[in-house]
Amino acid sequence: MKPSTSNWKLHVRRLALLMMFLLLWEALAGGIYPLFSLLDPFYSSSPSRIGRELYILFFQENVLKDIFVTLGEAFAGLILGIVSGVALGLLFAYSELVSSTLEPFMSALNSIPRPALAPLVIFWFGIGIFSKIFLAWSLAFFVIFYNTYLGIKSIDPDILNIMRVMNASRLQIMRIVILPSVVSWIFAGLRLSVSYSLIGAIIGEFVGATVGIGYQLIYAEGLLMSDRLYALVLVVAIMGATLVELVKRIESRFLRWRPEIIL
Amino acid sequence: MEIRRQEAVVMNTECVSVEGLSVSYLSPTGRVDALRNVSFKLYDGELVTIVGPSGCGKTTLLNAIAGLLNFRKDVLMSGKIFVKNPKSIGYVFQRDALLPWRTVIENVTLGLEVRKFPEEKRKKVALDLLKMVGLEGYENKYPHELSAGMRQRVALARAIAYDPEFILMDEPLGLLDAQTRMALQDEILRIHMKTRKTILMVTHDIAEAIILGSRVLVMNSRPGSVKSEYVVKLPKPRSALGSRLDPEFNRLYRLILDDLKEDMRMGQLDLL
């Protein structure tokens, strides 16, 4: 069952667990009583050190700029992925010739692990934003493409039959049946493709960049700034969670007709 | 292949006629004969049922009449199909085939939307029909919020909404539980009495075929053909329950069951 927001006991329980975890972490790293420390804070860091690092990142080093660059790259890749994925998905669904010819090539391309591709992409597009957009696109595209293609293929044939019996034109079938079901399949793939495009952008920044969260991570690693690594991982986690939550909101607005799926 | 689909002939009370229809499906592994030499006629305002075992080509027959097989390259057809007004056909499927992203009322108005009727007119027709099938107040629900029986009522309303002369029904009650099925049998009888549409309905339930049909065509399978025809002389207006208690019902049930026994022995009849 889905917990309702009025279920305050559950929230208190969760908050208490989180506080206990943070306190234990702080204590084990010697942050509360220095003689009692089982962990070396160089490796384990501690909540207070991470907090201090976050303060430095946001108020002294303007990490917001990196966040927005990475988000922008991911978003651009996602939009390009949706446009091209839908277009090719439609083409595949409508043309047996195209789909039967290209299908093995598509799965071959999709099976390339993107980190392996990243150096080559930097080589093609340089260390600017375009290489990151390309990598984000290369991940988002396939999710949207396969969702569109298989989505159209899985349209109930009886729905198409009823349209034909009603003498609907091709254009009407497109507008009334094909496009609405494509939209719902895109949304089904959107949560995945949003996370994927973020991954693509960060991989690109690992390999070569001058700005962005991925760049900041590599930079901190190079200088052995373990607290900063923890802080940045937290930032990335929050970015990912925020995006997925945003997609969920949009999704539930557009897919009101669907039975609620509780994961 | 000769398929005749001509426009209305004046004073012709024949609504549909099928003559010597044979249909085969071609596949890479060979040829499957679905129908062989099927002939029958439907007259205006009749409700005729077809009963037969699964796999006897009932769906193929309906699709051929609806013109859905005409453009398929993997289908071989011979014989004649005449439909008085091939542009005015309704179709109800076993699975409701509602558009899940459309509300009940948007589903019912589908045919009117395709025919470009103005919005207010569409709405009015749909609301009247929803009232007729007992779904008043459900117009803004989505299909997944309704029970199977209610969804099938919506599918019925959708098939009538654009006022087709002739409605095909492919086991429309096949997936419903016994009580709901009886309620909808009454519904179909009522709709037929009220609208006087010509209806051709396929079922594998012998009782249903007798209760609803003014004539019952019995098909046998592989390849499907019409084996016999019975005129049902049950008093009107009929009801699902009342008809079952009539001696005529039992007489016909026996006869049809005997007709189907050969197929049953071959293990192809799934009555249950």
Side-chain angles (χ1 to χ4, degrees), chain B residues 45 47 92 129 131-134 152-161 167 169 183-199 212:
Chain B
L47 197 173
V92 182
L129 276 173
K131 201 169 172 183
M132 181 164 113
V133 299
Q152 209 53 276
R153 284 170 198 266
V154 177
L156 282 174
R158 177 176 69 181
I160 310 165
I167 301 174
M169 298 187 179
L184 269 140
Q185 285 166 355
D186 282 332
E187 197 73 52
I188 290 173
L189 284 169
R190 214 161 52 78
I191 289 170
H192 181 244
M193 285 286 278
K194 204 166 168 179
T195 62
R196 284 283 150 210
K197 303 257 175 236
T198 314
I199 299 176
L212 297 180

PDB file of all heavy atoms in Angstrom, chain B residues 45 47 92 129 131-134 152-161 167 169 183-199 212:
ATOM      1  N   GLY B  45     -32.646  -6.137 -40.301  1.00  0.00           N
ATOM      2  CA  GLY B  45     -33.258  -6.160 -38.986  1.00  0.00           C
ATOM      3  C   GLY B  45     -33.150  -7.490 -38.266  1.00  0.00           C
ATOM      4  O   GLY B  45     -33.642  -7.643 -37.153  1.00  0.00           O
ATOM      5  N   LEU B  47     -31.351 -10.653 -36.219  1.00  0.00           N
ATOM      6  CA  LEU B  47     -30.212 -10.949 -35.356  1.00  0.00           C
ATOM      7  C   LEU B  47     -29.918 -12.440 -35.535  1.00  0.00           C
ATOM      8  O   LEU B  47     -30.702 -13.290 -35.110  1.00  0.00           O
ATOM      9  CB  LEU B  47     -30.541 -10.644 -33.887  1.00  0.00           C
ATOM     10  CG  LEU B  47     -29.400 -10.506 -32.878  1.00  0.00           C
ATOM     11  CD1 LEU B  47     -29.929 -10.034 -31.536  1.00  0.00           C
ATOM     12  CD2 LEU B  47     -28.542 -11.726 -32.715  1.00  0.00           C
ATOM     13  N   VAL B  92     -18.135  -5.371 -32.600  1.00  0.00           N
ATOM     14  CA  VAL B  92     -17.862  -5.534 -31.170  1.00  0.00           C
ATOM     15  C   VAL B  92     -16.969  -6.758 -31.002  1.00  0.00           C
ATOM     16  O   VAL B  92     -17.284  -7.825 -31.521  1.00  0.00           O
ATOM     17  CB  VAL B  92     -19.161  -5.729 -30.354  1.00  0.00           C
ATOM     18  CG1 VAL B  92     -18.852  -5.851 -28.867  1.00  0.00           C
ATOM     19  CG2 VAL B  92     -20.132  -4.577 -30.600  1.00  0.00           C
ATOM     20  N   LEU B 129     -26.972   7.133 -25.398  1.00  0.00           N
ATOM     21  CA  LEU B 129     -26.622   5.712 -25.496  1.00  0.00           C
ATOM     22  C   LEU B 129     -26.147   5.156 -24.160  1.00  0.00           C
ATOM     23  O   LEU B 129     -26.474   4.033 -23.788  1.00  0.00           O
ATOM     24  CB  LEU B 129     -25.541   5.502 -26.553  1.00  0.00           C
ATOM     25  CG  LEU B 129     -26.084   5.381 -27.974  1.00  0.00           C
ATOM     26  CD1 LEU B 129     -24.941   5.358 -28.962  1.00  0.00           C
ATOM     27  CD2 LEU B 129     -26.907   4.108 -28.103  1.00  0.00           C
ATOM     28  N   LYS B 131     -27.014   6.106 -21.317  1.00  0.00           N
ATOM     29  CA  LYS B 131     -28.219   5.930 -20.515  1.00  0.00           C
ATOM     30  C   LYS B 131     -28.888   4.609 -20.894  1.00  0.00           C
ATOM     31  O   LYS B 131     -29.296   3.826 -20.037  1.00  0.00           O
ATOM     32  CB  LYS B 131     -29.155   7.110 -20.782  1.00  0.00           C
ATOM     33  CG  LYS B 131     -30.177   7.347 -19.708  1.00  0.00           C
ATOM     34  CD  LYS B 131     -30.844   8.695 -19.967  1.00  0.00           C
ATOM     35  CE  LYS B 131     -32.007   8.915 -19.042  1.00  0.00           C
ATOM     36  NZ  LYS B 131     -32.682  10.191 -19.344  1.00  0.00           N
ATOM     37  N   MET B 132     -28.937   4.362 -22.203  1.00  0.00           N
ATOM     38  CA  MET B 132     -29.601   3.152 -22.687  1.00  0.00           C
ATOM     39  C   MET B 132     -28.901   1.883 -22.187  1.00  0.00           C
ATOM     40  O   MET B 132     -29.564   0.907 -21.851  1.00  0.00           O
ATOM     41  CB  MET B 132     -29.624   3.170 -24.219  1.00  0.00           C
ATOM     42  CG  MET B 132     -30.295   1.980 -24.851  1.00  0.00           C
ATOM     43  SD  MET B 132     -30.684   2.308 -26.566  1.00  0.00           S
ATOM     44  CE  MET B 132     -29.605   1.188 -27.378  1.00  0.00           C
ATOM     45  N   VAL B 133     -27.567   1.885 -22.134  1.00  0.00           N
ATOM     46  CA  VAL B 133     -26.869   0.676 -21.681  1.00  0.00           C
ATOM     47  C   VAL B 133     -26.624   0.696 -20.166  1.00  0.00           C
ATOM     48  O   VAL B 133     -25.867  -0.123 -19.648  1.00  0.00           O
ATOM     49  CB  VAL B 133     -25.530   0.448 -22.424  1.00  0.00           C
ATOM     50  CG1 VAL B 133     -25.759   0.262 -23.907  1.00  0.00           C
ATOM     51  CG2 VAL B 133     -24.554   1.586 -22.172  1.00  0.00           C
ATOM     52  N   GLY B 134     -27.257   1.644 -19.479  1.00  0.00           N
ATOM     53  CA  GLY B 134     -27.190   1.653 -18.019  1.00  0.00           C
ATOM     54  C   GLY B 134     -25.882   2.160 -17.448  1.00  0.00           C
ATOM     55  O   GLY B 134     -25.456   1.738 -16.378  1.00  0.00           O
ATOM     56  N   GLN B 152     -17.751  -3.822 -21.681  1.00  0.00           N
ATOM     57  CA  GLN B 152     -18.388  -4.389 -22.865  1.00  0.00           C
ATOM     58  C   GLN B 152     -19.654  -3.601 -23.215  1.00  0.00           C
ATOM     59  O   GLN B 152     -19.992  -3.462 -24.386  1.00  0.00           O
ATOM     60  CB  GLN B 152     -18.675  -5.877 -22.618  1.00  0.00           C
ATOM     61  CG  GLN B 152     -18.669  -6.750 -23.852  1.00  0.00           C
ATOM     62  CD  GLN B 152     -17.427  -6.645 -24.719  1.00  0.00           C
ATOM     63  OE1 GLN B 152     -17.308  -5.768 -25.545  1.00  0.00           O
ATOM     64  NE2 GLN B 152     -16.492  -7.553 -24.538  1.00  0.00           N
ATOM     65  N   ARG B 153     -20.330  -3.055 -22.195  1.00  0.00           N
ATOM     66  CA  ARG B 153     -21.478  -2.172 -22.474  1.00  0.00           C
ATOM     67  C   ARG B 153     -21.012  -0.937 -23.234  1.00  0.00           C
ATOM     68  O   ARG B 153     -21.688  -0.468 -24.157  1.00  0.00           O
ATOM     69  CB  ARG B 153     -22.151  -1.722 -21.170  1.00  0.00           C
ATOM     70  CG  ARG B 153     -23.008  -2.781 -20.518  1.00  0.00           C
ATOM     71  CD  ARG B 153     -23.425  -2.322 -19.126  1.00  0.00           C
ATOM     72  NE  ARG B 153     -23.877  -3.448 -18.327  1.00  0.00           N
ATOM     73  CZ  ARG B 153     -25.158  -3.818 -18.231  1.00  0.00           C
ATOM     74  NH1 ARG B 153     -26.076  -3.140 -18.863  1.00  0.00           N
ATOM     75  NH2 ARG B 153     -25.486  -4.864 -17.512  1.00  0.00           N
ATOM     76  N   VAL B 154     -19.864  -0.390 -22.827  1.00  0.00           N
ATOM     77  CA  VAL B 154     -19.322   0.778 -23.533  1.00  0.00           C
ATOM     78  C   VAL B 154     -19.026   0.404 -24.990  1.00  0.00           C
ATOM     79  O   VAL B 154     -19.342   1.153 -25.912  1.00  0.00           O
ATOM     80  CB  VAL B 154     -18.032   1.298 -22.849  1.00  0.00           C
ATOM     81  CG1 VAL B 154     -17.449   2.467 -23.631  1.00  0.00           C
ATOM     82  CG2 VAL B 154     -18.317   1.711 -21.420  1.00  0.00           C
ATOM     83  N   ALA B 155     -18.437  -0.795 -25.176  1.00  0.00           N
ATOM     84  CA  ALA B 155     -18.114  -1.232 -26.535  1.00  0.00           C
ATOM     85  C   ALA B 155     -19.386  -1.374 -27.380  1.00  0.00           C
ATOM     86  O   ALA B 155     -19.398  -1.031 -28.563  1.00  0.00           O
ATOM     87  CB  ALA B 155     -17.343  -2.554 -26.500  1.00  0.00           C
ATOM     88  N   LEU B 156     -20.470  -1.856 -26.753  1.00  0.00           N
ATOM     89  CA  LEU B 156     -21.750  -1.950 -27.461  1.00  0.00           C
ATOM     90  C   LEU B 156     -22.240  -0.556 -27.862  1.00  0.00           C
ATOM     91  O   LEU B 156     -22.629  -0.326 -29.008  1.00  0.00           O
ATOM     92  CB  LEU B 156     -22.809  -2.613 -26.567  1.00  0.00           C
ATOM     93  CG  LEU B 156     -22.758  -4.135 -26.430  1.00  0.00           C
ATOM     94  CD1 LEU B 156     -23.771  -4.598 -25.392  1.00  0.00           C
ATOM     95  CD2 LEU B 156     -23.060  -4.803 -27.766  1.00  0.00           C
ATOM     96  N   ALA B 157     -22.192   0.377 -26.888  1.00  0.00           N
ATOM     97  CA  ALA B 157     -22.634   1.746 -27.162  1.00  0.00           C
ATOM     98  C   ALA B 157     -21.798   2.354 -28.279  1.00  0.00           C
ATOM     99  O   ALA B 157     -22.314   3.031 -29.169  1.00  0.00           O
ATOM    100  CB  ALA B 157     -22.536   2.600 -25.897  1.00  0.00           C
ATOM    101  N   ARG B 158     -20.488   2.081 -28.257  1.00  0.00           N
ATOM    102  CA  ARG B 158     -19.610   2.622 -29.298  1.00  0.00           C
ATOM    103  C   ARG B 158     -19.991   2.093 -30.677  1.00  0.00           C
ATOM    104  O   ARG B 158     -19.952   2.820 -31.666  1.00  0.00           O
ATOM    105  CB  ARG B 158     -18.155   2.257 -28.992  1.00  0.00           C
ATOM    106  CG  ARG B 158     -17.198   2.719 -30.071  1.00  0.00           C
ATOM    107  CD  ARG B 158     -15.763   2.445 -29.723  1.00  0.00           C
ATOM    108  NE  ARG B 158     -15.466   1.017 -29.723  1.00  0.00           N
ATOM    109  CZ  ARG B 158     -14.277   0.510 -29.434  1.00  0.00           C
ATOM    110  NH1 ARG B 158     -13.279   1.319 -29.116  1.00  0.00           N
ATOM    111  NH2 ARG B 158     -14.077  -0.782 -29.455  1.00  0.00           N
ATOM    112  N   ALA B 159     -20.364   0.792 -30.726  1.00  0.00           N
ATOM    113  CA  ALA B 159     -20.695   0.192 -32.016  1.00  0.00           C
ATOM    114  C   ALA B 159     -21.999   0.745 -32.589  1.00  0.00           C
ATOM    115  O   ALA B 159     -22.194   0.779 -33.795  1.00  0.00           O
ATOM    116  CB  ALA B 159     -20.774  -1.326 -31.887  1.00  0.00           C
ATOM    117  N   ILE B 160     -22.903   1.191 -31.699  1.00  0.00           N
ATOM    118  CA  ILE B 160     -24.186   1.709 -32.188  1.00  0.00           C
ATOM    119  C   ILE B 160     -24.113   3.202 -32.459  1.00  0.00           C
ATOM    120  O   ILE B 160     -24.871   3.730 -33.270  1.00  0.00           O
ATOM    121  CB  ILE B 160     -25.302   1.479 -31.136  1.00  0.00           C
ATOM    122  CG1 ILE B 160     -25.290   0.026 -30.664  1.00  0.00           C
ATOM    123  CG2 ILE B 160     -26.660   1.794 -31.715  1.00  0.00           C
ATOM    124  CD1 ILE B 160     -26.090  -0.156 -29.399  1.00  0.00           C
ATOM    125  N   ALA B 161     -23.182   3.898 -31.776  1.00  0.00           N
ATOM    126  CA  ALA B 161     -23.210   5.370 -31.724  1.00  0.00           C
ATOM    127  C   ALA B 161     -23.267   6.017 -33.102  1.00  0.00           C
ATOM    128  O   ALA B 161     -23.973   6.988 -33.302  1.00  0.00           O
ATOM    129  CB  ALA B 161     -22.013   5.884 -30.946  1.00  0.00           C
ATOM    130  N   ILE B 167     -24.250  -4.723 -37.602  1.00  0.00           N
ATOM    131  CA  ILE B 167     -23.247  -4.847 -36.547  1.00  0.00           C
ATOM    132  C   ILE B 167     -22.733  -6.282 -36.459  1.00  0.00           C
ATOM    133  O   ILE B 167     -23.514  -7.243 -36.426  1.00  0.00           O
ATOM    134  CB  ILE B 167     -23.822  -4.427 -35.172  1.00  0.00           C
ATOM    135  CG1 ILE B 167     -24.306  -2.975 -35.230  1.00  0.00           C
ATOM    136  CG2 ILE B 167     -22.777  -4.585 -34.074  1.00  0.00           C
ATOM    137  CD1 ILE B 167     -25.014  -2.517 -33.968  1.00  0.00           C
ATOM    138  N   MET B 169     -20.602  -9.018 -34.226  1.00  0.00           N
ATOM    139  CA  MET B 169     -20.187  -9.227 -32.840  1.00  0.00           C
ATOM    140  C   MET B 169     -19.405 -10.535 -32.746  1.00  0.00           C
ATOM    141  O   MET B 169     -19.916 -11.592 -33.095  1.00  0.00           O
ATOM    142  CB  MET B 169     -21.399  -9.286 -31.902  1.00  0.00           C
ATOM    143  CG  MET B 169     -22.216  -8.010 -31.887  1.00  0.00           C
ATOM    144  SD  MET B 169     -23.490  -8.083 -30.617  1.00  0.00           S
ATOM    145  CE  MET B 169     -24.237  -6.476 -30.814  1.00  0.00           C
ATOM    146  N   ALA B 183     -27.078 -10.785 -18.042  1.00  0.00           N
ATOM    147  CA  ALA B 183     -27.545  -9.392 -18.044  1.00  0.00           C
ATOM    148  C   ALA B 183     -27.289  -8.755 -19.402  1.00  0.00           C
ATOM    149  O   ALA B 183     -28.128  -8.045 -19.946  1.00  0.00           O
ATOM    150  CB  ALA B 183     -26.845  -8.612 -16.941  1.00  0.00           C
ATOM    151  N   LEU B 184     -26.124  -9.048 -19.971  1.00  0.00           N
ATOM    152  CA  LEU B 184     -25.792  -8.428 -21.255  1.00  0.00           C
ATOM    153  C   LEU B 184     -26.517  -9.078 -22.426  1.00  0.00           C
ATOM    154  O   LEU B 184     -26.774  -8.429 -23.437  1.00  0.00           O
ATOM    155  CB  LEU B 184     -24.275  -8.443 -21.474  1.00  0.00           C
ATOM    156  CG  LEU B 184     -23.663  -7.160 -20.924  1.00  0.00           C
ATOM    157  CD1 LEU B 184     -22.363  -7.395 -20.226  1.00  0.00           C
ATOM    158  CD2 LEU B 184     -23.506  -6.142 -22.028  1.00  0.00           C
ATOM    159  N   GLN B 185     -26.885 -10.356 -22.260  1.00  0.00           N
ATOM    160  CA  GLN B 185     -27.725 -10.973 -23.295  1.00  0.00           C
ATOM    161  C   GLN B 185     -29.055 -10.224 -23.374  1.00  0.00           C
ATOM    162  O   GLN B 185     -29.532  -9.893 -24.465  1.00  0.00           O
ATOM    163  CB  GLN B 185     -27.955 -12.448 -22.983  1.00  0.00           C
ATOM    164  CG  GLN B 185     -26.736 -13.317 -23.268  1.00  0.00           C
ATOM    165  CD  GLN B 185     -26.827 -14.694 -22.656  1.00  0.00           C
ATOM    166  OE1 GLN B 185     -27.758 -15.009 -21.924  1.00  0.00           O
ATOM    167  NE2 GLN B 185     -25.834 -15.529 -22.955  1.00  0.00           N
ATOM    168  N   ASP B 186     -29.632  -9.937 -22.197  1.00  0.00           N
ATOM    169  CA  ASP B 186     -30.863  -9.142 -22.177  1.00  0.00           C
ATOM    170  C   ASP B 186     -30.650  -7.768 -22.804  1.00  0.00           C
ATOM    171  O   ASP B 186     -31.497  -7.255 -23.527  1.00  0.00           O
ATOM    172  CB  ASP B 186     -31.370  -8.982 -20.736  1.00  0.00           C
ATOM    173  CG  ASP B 186     -32.071 -10.249 -20.256  1.00  0.00           C
ATOM    174  OD1 ASP B 186     -32.613 -10.971 -21.110  1.00  0.00           O
ATOM    175  OD2 ASP B 186     -32.061 -10.509 -19.045  1.00  0.00           O
ATOM    176  N   GLU B 187     -29.469  -7.200 -22.503  1.00  0.00           N
ATOM    177  CA  GLU B 187     -29.137  -5.880 -23.037  1.00  0.00           C
ATOM    178  C   GLU B 187     -29.125  -5.906 -24.569  1.00  0.00           C
ATOM    179  O   GLU B 187     -29.691  -5.029 -25.229  1.00  0.00           O
ATOM    180  CB  GLU B 187     -27.742  -5.489 -22.516  1.00  0.00           C
ATOM    181  CG  GLU B 187     -27.423  -4.039 -22.636  1.00  0.00           C
ATOM    182  CD  GLU B 187     -28.197  -3.209 -21.627  1.00  0.00           C
ATOM    183  OE1 GLU B 187     -28.150  -3.541 -20.439  1.00  0.00           O
ATOM    184  OE2 GLU B 187     -28.857  -2.257 -22.055  1.00  0.00           O
ATOM    185  N   ILE B 188     -28.479  -6.944 -25.120  1.00  0.00           N
ATOM    186  CA  ILE B 188     -28.390  -7.053 -26.583  1.00  0.00           C
ATOM    187  C   ILE B 188     -29.775  -7.246 -27.189  1.00  0.00           C
ATOM    188  O   ILE B 188     -30.118  -6.618 -28.193  1.00  0.00           O
ATOM    189  CB  ILE B 188     -27.434  -8.191 -26.988  1.00  0.00           C
ATOM    190  CG1 ILE B 188     -25.994  -7.809 -26.640  1.00  0.00           C
ATOM    191  CG2 ILE B 188     -27.545  -8.490 -28.486  1.00  0.00           C
ATOM    192  CD1 ILE B 188     -24.979  -8.913 -26.846  1.00  0.00           C
ATOM    193  N   LEU B 189     -30.608  -8.079 -26.529  1.00  0.00           N
ATOM    194  CA  LEU B 189     -31.982  -8.268 -27.022  1.00  0.00           C
ATOM    195  C   LEU B 189     -32.738  -6.935 -27.019  1.00  0.00           C
ATOM    196  O   LEU B 189     -33.452  -6.606 -27.966  1.00  0.00           O
ATOM    197  CB  LEU B 189     -32.722  -9.287 -26.138  1.00  0.00           C
ATOM    198  CG  LEU B 189     -32.360 -10.760 -26.362  1.00  0.00           C
ATOM    199  CD1 LEU B 189     -32.945 -11.625 -25.267  1.00  0.00           C
ATOM    200  CD2 LEU B 189     -32.837 -11.234 -27.732  1.00  0.00           C
ATOM    201  N   ARG B 190     -32.552  -6.182 -25.942  1.00  0.00           N
ATOM    202  CA  ARG B 190     -33.251  -4.909 -25.798  1.00  0.00           C
ATOM    203  C   ARG B 190     -32.783  -3.906 -26.868  1.00  0.00           C
ATOM    204  O   ARG B 190     -33.581  -3.245 -27.521  1.00  0.00           O
ATOM    205  CB  ARG B 190     -32.978  -4.333 -24.407  1.00  0.00           C
ATOM    206  CG  ARG B 190     -34.124  -3.575 -23.796  1.00  0.00           C
ATOM    207  CD  ARG B 190     -33.954  -3.446 -22.282  1.00  0.00           C
ATOM    208  NE  ARG B 190     -32.646  -2.913 -21.905  1.00  0.00           N
ATOM    209  CZ  ARG B 190     -32.341  -1.627 -21.978  1.00  0.00           C
ATOM    210  NH1 ARG B 190     -33.212  -0.743 -22.391  1.00  0.00           N
ATOM    211  NH2 ARG B 190     -31.136  -1.225 -21.633  1.00  0.00           N
ATOM    212  N   ILE B 191     -31.462  -3.840 -27.047  1.00  0.00           N
ATOM    213  CA  ILE B 191     -30.909  -2.929 -28.050  1.00  0.00           C
ATOM    214  C   ILE B 191     -31.411  -3.310 -29.443  1.00  0.00           C
ATOM    215  O   ILE B 191     -31.781  -2.461 -30.240  1.00  0.00           O
ATOM    216  CB  ILE B 191     -29.354  -2.959 -28.016  1.00  0.00           C
ATOM    217  CG1 ILE B 191     -28.852  -2.290 -26.742  1.00  0.00           C
ATOM    218  CG2 ILE B 191     -28.766  -2.274 -29.240  1.00  0.00           C
ATOM    219  CD1 ILE B 191     -27.367  -2.469 -26.500  1.00  0.00           C
ATOM    220  N   HIS B 192     -31.475  -4.623 -29.682  1.00  0.00           N
ATOM    221  CA  HIS B 192     -31.926  -5.071 -31.000  1.00  0.00           C
ATOM    222  C   HIS B 192     -33.392  -4.722 -31.232  1.00  0.00           C
ATOM    223  O   HIS B 192     -33.770  -4.244 -32.301  1.00  0.00           O
ATOM    224  CB  HIS B 192     -31.700  -6.576 -31.156  1.00  0.00           C
ATOM    225  CG  HIS B 192     -32.127  -7.090 -32.483  1.00  0.00           C
ATOM    226  ND1 HIS B 192     -33.140  -7.997 -32.635  1.00  0.00           N
ATOM    227  CD2 HIS B 192     -31.712  -6.785 -33.731  1.00  0.00           C
ATOM    228  CE1 HIS B 192     -33.316  -8.237 -33.921  1.00  0.00           C
ATOM    229  NE2 HIS B 192     -32.460  -7.527 -34.608  1.00  0.00           N
ATOM    230  N   MET B 193     -34.228  -4.934 -30.192  1.00  0.00           N
ATOM    231  CA  MET B 193     -35.642  -4.592 -30.294  1.00  0.00           C
ATOM    232  C   MET B 193     -35.817  -3.107 -30.588  1.00  0.00           C
ATOM    233  O   MET B 193     -36.657  -2.697 -31.381  1.00  0.00           O
ATOM    234  CB  MET B 193     -36.356  -4.899 -28.964  1.00  0.00           C
ATOM    235  CG  MET B 193     -36.604  -6.368 -28.707  1.00  0.00           C
ATOM    236  SD  MET B 193     -37.931  -7.003 -29.734  1.00  0.00           S
ATOM    237  CE  MET B 193     -39.347  -6.468 -28.777  1.00  0.00           C
ATOM    238  N   LYS B 194     -34.995  -2.305 -29.916  1.00  0.00           N
ATOM    239  CA  LYS B 194     -35.159  -0.858 -29.984  1.00  0.00           C
ATOM    240  C   LYS B 194     -34.626  -0.283 -31.296  1.00  0.00           C
ATOM    241  O   LYS B 194     -35.225   0.610 -31.882  1.00  0.00           O
ATOM    242  CB  LYS B 194     -34.400  -0.231 -28.806  1.00  0.00           C
ATOM    243  CG  LYS B 194     -34.922   1.118 -28.401  1.00  0.00           C
ATOM    244  CD  LYS B 194     -34.374   1.497 -27.046  1.00  0.00           C
ATOM    245  CE  LYS B 194     -34.662   2.958 -26.760  1.00  0.00           C
ATOM    246  NZ  LYS B 194     -34.171   3.350 -25.446  1.00  0.00           N
ATOM    247  N   THR B 195     -33.472  -0.785 -31.742  1.00  0.00           N
ATOM    248  CA  THR B 195     -32.824  -0.157 -32.900  1.00  0.00           C
ATOM    249  C   THR B 195     -33.081  -0.894 -34.202  1.00  0.00           C
ATOM    250  O   THR B 195     -32.866  -0.352 -35.270  1.00  0.00           O
ATOM    251  CB  THR B 195     -31.296  -0.092 -32.692  1.00  0.00           C
ATOM    252  OG1 THR B 195     -30.807  -1.426 -32.572  1.00  0.00           O
ATOM    253  CG2 THR B 195     -30.941   0.683 -31.433  1.00  0.00           C
ATOM    254  N   ARG B 196     -33.491  -2.147 -34.114  1.00  0.00           N
ATOM    255  CA  ARG B 196     -33.751  -2.948 -35.314  1.00  0.00           C
ATOM    256  C   ARG B 196     -32.541  -3.022 -36.255  1.00  0.00           C
ATOM    257  O   ARG B 196     -32.683  -3.020 -37.468  1.00  0.00           O
ATOM    258  CB  ARG B 196     -34.969  -2.395 -36.070  1.00  0.00           C
ATOM    259  CG  ARG B 196     -36.280  -2.746 -35.412  1.00  0.00           C
ATOM    260  CD  ARG B 196     -36.648  -4.194 -35.693  1.00  0.00           C
ATOM    261  NE  ARG B 196     -37.432  -4.762 -34.606  1.00  0.00           N
ATOM    262  CZ  ARG B 196     -37.411  -6.050 -34.275  1.00  0.00           C
ATOM    263  NH1 ARG B 196     -36.637  -6.898 -34.912  1.00  0.00           N
ATOM    264  NH2 ARG B 196     -38.140  -6.511 -33.302  1.00  0.00           N
ATOM    265  N   LYS B 197     -31.375  -3.056 -35.661  1.00  0.00           N
ATOM    266  CA  LYS B 197     -30.170  -3.199 -36.475  1.00  0.00           C
ATOM    267  C   LYS B 197     -30.037  -4.651 -36.912  1.00  0.00           C
ATOM    268  O   LYS B 197     -30.492  -5.560 -36.223  1.00  0.00           O
ATOM    269  CB  LYS B 197     -28.929  -2.839 -35.645  1.00  0.00           C
ATOM    270  CG  LYS B 197     -28.976  -1.471 -35.061  1.00  0.00           C
ATOM    271  CD  LYS B 197     -28.106  -0.544 -35.840  1.00  0.00           C
ATOM    272  CE  LYS B 197     -28.226   0.864 -35.342  1.00  0.00           C
ATOM    273  NZ  LYS B 197     -28.611   1.794 -36.390  1.00  0.00           N
ATOM    274  N   THR B 198     -29.407  -4.854 -38.040  1.00  0.00           N
ATOM    275  CA  THR B 198     -29.066  -6.199 -38.457  1.00  0.00           C
ATOM    276  C   THR B 198     -27.801  -6.601 -37.698  1.00  0.00           C
ATOM    277  O   THR B 198     -26.827  -5.859 -37.692  1.00  0.00           O
ATOM    278  CB  THR B 198     -28.780  -6.249 -39.971  1.00  0.00           C
ATOM    279  OG1 THR B 198     -29.811  -5.536 -40.640  1.00  0.00           O
ATOM    280  CG2 THR B 198     -28.693  -7.664 -40.470  1.00  0.00           C
ATOM    281  N   ILE B 199     -27.867  -7.729 -37.016  1.00  0.00           N
ATOM    282  CA  ILE B 199     -26.717  -8.134 -36.199  1.00  0.00           C
ATOM    283  C   ILE B 199     -26.294  -9.555 -36.551  1.00  0.00           C
ATOM    284  O   ILE B 199     -27.138 -10.454 -36.664  1.00  0.00           O
ATOM    285  CB  ILE B 199     -27.046  -8.048 -34.683  1.00  0.00           C
ATOM    286  CG1 ILE B 199     -27.410  -6.607 -34.289  1.00  0.00           C
ATOM    287  CG2 ILE B 199     -25.875  -8.548 -33.843  1.00  0.00           C
ATOM    288  CD1 ILE B 199     -27.851  -6.451 -32.833  1.00  0.00           C
ATOM    289  N   LEU B 212     -30.428 -15.535 -28.299  1.00  0.00           N
ATOM    290  CA  LEU B 212     -30.339 -14.260 -29.005  1.00  0.00           C
ATOM    291  C   LEU B 212     -30.801 -14.340 -30.460  1.00  0.00           C
ATOM    292  O   LEU B 212     -31.379 -13.406 -30.988  1.00  0.00           O
ATOM    293  CB  LEU B 212     -28.914 -13.714 -28.945  1.00  0.00           C
ATOM    294  CG  LEU B 212     -28.364 -13.380 -27.569  1.00  0.00           C
ATOM    295  CD1 LEU B 212     -26.958 -12.847 -27.685  1.00  0.00           C
ATOM    296  CD2 LEU B 212     -29.254 -12.360 -26.874  1.00  0.00           C
TER     297      LEU B 212
END
